Amino acid sequence: MIAGLSVFFSGPGQTYSISIFIDYYIEDFEYSRSLVSGIYSAATLLAGITLFMMGRLIDRFGQRTMMVAIGSCLALALFWNAFLLGPIMMFLGFFMIRLFGQGSMTLIPNTLVPQWFIRKRGRALSIMAIGGFASSALLPPLNTWLIESFGWRATWGLWGSALLILFVPLTLFFVRNKPEHIGEVPDGTPKPVKGEEMKNPNVEVNEKSWTLKEAMATKAFWFLLFCVTVPALVNTAITFHMVSIMDLRGLDTGVAAMVLTLMAVVGFPVTFVSGYLVDRFKVHYILAITFFGHIFTLVILLFTNSWWMAVAFGMFWGFVNGFERIVLNIVWPNYFGREHLGSIKGLAQTVMVVGSALGPLPFGLFFDWLGGYQEVILLTILFPVTAGILALLSPQPEYEDYHA
């Protein structure tokens, strides 16, 4: 439950939330779209480069301590954003909410849940994903209403207060790092009676844990890193400029918020299907199918020029997101084990945040140069095509092949 809540409260640092603020920033500060996009991309890139240290800190101090610390830091970052005065403060504000929000508040729960579940890992991650979809469904329209009612500065302050009042105390009281720390085992597998042999030994007995260095020696690790980058790049670029994309098609901010909400509503039940499938089929096949779904979604976006096409885009986008949220999180513990998951997932999260940094700026530049997004969307399709091929070439590596 707390892992899902952590993903929910990563929302203020996620692009689907920040995108609602962008046009207000452009209007109030009189900045160009490419300038704000550049500040956002640079700040996100720096956050991504810094994020790899969080994985090592998780391995050292545990999820409970880090979740309390990061939740508090994110709250302070949101208060900072309430007092923006210029581009330097905007850069630092974006940097902090991307590092602590989009990066760390999703990294920690995605290393916590795999510690508690092995056989049921896919289904457990599906339940955790409820927090993410609830956040992406609620925050765009809620932010729109809050900003229109109270202003964007007060909206940042309200989210910071919610973190300190709700999330941080709940984390302190209810989170435990591993089942072994409280005398339990993953999946809740019954422990044997003393003197009796366990008839159904837990999977962790046979689970091989790779170090980061060992994982980096495999081809699959590098292919998967590229695969992680693509959804972050594509989804962030589209989400960041969603209001502008819809505006060019004659659709208002309400439609843009509706698309983001619809994506989350559709994606929510899909996560349970994907969680069921990844517990039963090879992950890299499901990952490849997900990327081919990305291609189809981008094609729909190219032809979106009405409310009904926007609905179709939101639905297909949600379907794809429902799969990728589970597959991209489960592949790391499934391939490389639990022991060094913080370091391995931390590097993957770093690459993901860097990918999200690279997305918005090209879209902003193409808009300023050509007055639209059609050309950059066409170029973007090349990324999921490449990722789909690499996913097919990335079966789970055999531990013995690299440890002879």
Side-chain angles (χ1 to χ4, degrees), residues 67-372:
M67 202 174 277
V68 171
I70 293 300
S72 302
C73 288
L74 179 58
L76 295 176
L78 297 176
F79 292 138
W80 172 280
N81 277 269
F83 294 96
L84 295 184
L85 295 175
I88 296 177
M89 285 191 73
M90 185 180 293
F91 173 84
L92 292 173
F94 281 149
F95 165 72
M96 288 187 290
I97 61 175
R98 297 298 274 170
L99 175 61
F100 299 129
Q102 186 233 10
S104 302
M105 287 283 283
T106 57
L107 172 61
I108 298 172
N110 278 304
T111 62
L112 177 63
V113 171
Q115 299 292 346
W116 285 81
F117 298 93
I118 297 177
R119 286 193 180 95
K120 303 173 184 176
R121 188 172 281 160
R123 281 162 284 182
L125 287 171
S126 297
I127 295 173
M128 185 194 76
I130 294 173
F133 281 109
S135 180
S136 56
L138 292 174
L139 264 62
L142 182 56
N143 280 348
T144 301
W145 178 77
L146 287 172
I147 293 171
E148 291 294 335
S149 301
F150 306 105
W152 58 266
R153 295 183 186 276
T155 301
W156 285 125
L158 288 171
W159 283 117
S161 300
L163 270 160
L164 287 180
I165 295 170
L166 296 175
F167 177 75
V168 173
L170 288 173
T171 298
L172 184 63
F173 286 114
F174 293 111
V175 171
R176 298 296 180 269
N177 298 330
K178 294 182 179 181
E180 294 88 343
H181 290 177
I182 58 172
E184 297 294 335
V185 291
D187 292 312
T189 304
K191 291 171 286 187
V193 178
K194 187 175 181 180
E196 292 184 6
E197 183 181 355
M198 181 186 279
K199 296 180 180 180
N200 183 22
N202 195 272
V203 179
E204 74 156 357
V205 174
N206 299 316
E207 186 182 51
K208 303 296 192 298
S209 288
W210 306 58
T211 65
L212 176 59
K213 184 178 180 180
E214 290 169 341
M216 291 173 69
T218 68
K219 176 186 68 175
F221 180 85
W222 296 103
F223 284 2
L224 290 173
L225 278 184
F226 181 84
C227 290
V228 167
T229 306
V230 171
L233 186 151
V234 175
N235 291 339
T236 303
I238 293 172
T239 304
F240 187 86
H241 295 287
M242 179 60 68
V243 173
S244 178
I245 292 172
M246 291 297 116
D247 182 63
L248 287 177
R249 315 296 170 83
L251 304 170
D252 60 20
T253 304
V255 174
M258 177 274 295
V259 169
L260 296 174
T261 299
L262 186 61
M263 181 268 288
V265 171
V266 172
F268 166 60
V270 174
T271 58
F272 292 97
V273 177
S274 58
Y276 176 85
L277 292 175
V278 295
D279 282 339
R280 285 161 175 77
F281 300 99
K282 293 185 181 297
V283 176
H284 67 294
Y285 290 141
I286 301 175
L287 184 58
I289 293 171
T290 300
F291 285 119
F292 292 121
H294 264 287
I295 298 168
F296 187 61
T297 303
L298 288 171
V299 171
I300 295 176
L301 181 60
L302 280 171
F303 295 99
T304 296
N305 57 9
S306 66
W307 187 86
W308 289 107
M309 287 296 291
V311 169
F313 167 70
M315 291 182 65
F316 279 101
W317 195 19
F319 187 84
V320 171
N321 269 264
F323 270 86
E324 77 179 26
R325 283 185 184 236
I326 304 303
V327 181
L328 292 176
N329 285 321
I330 201 173
V331 68
W332 302 107
N334 277 15
Y335 274 35
F336 302 112
R338 299 189 301 146
E339 190 64 30
H340 306 284
L341 183 58
S343 299
I344 293 171
K345 189 71 170 66
L347 180 57
Q349 195 85 352
T350 294
V351 173
M352 185 199 75
V353 176
V354 170
S356 68
L358 299 176
L361 182 56
F363 272 61
L365 291 174
F366 267 80
F367 176 84
D368 287 344
W369 291 341
L370 302 175

Side-chain angles (χ1 to χ4, degrees), residues 32-88:
S32 68
R33 182 166 296 275
S34 57
L35 175 61
V36 177
S37 299
I39 293 173
Y40 183 79
S41 292
T44 301
L45 182 61
L46 182 60
I49 294 171
T50 310
L51 184 61
F52 81 95
M53 295 186 299
M54 292 296 177
R56 296 186 180 275
L57 291 173
I58 292 169
D59 284 342
R60 181 175 180 182
F61 296 108
Q63 287 83 357
R64 180 171 181 255
T65 298
M66 290 298 296
M67 202 174 277
V68 171
I70 293 300
S72 302
C73 288
L74 179 58
L76 295 176
L78 297 176
F79 292 138
W80 172 280
N81 277 269
F83 294 96
L84 295 184
L85 295 175
I88 296 177

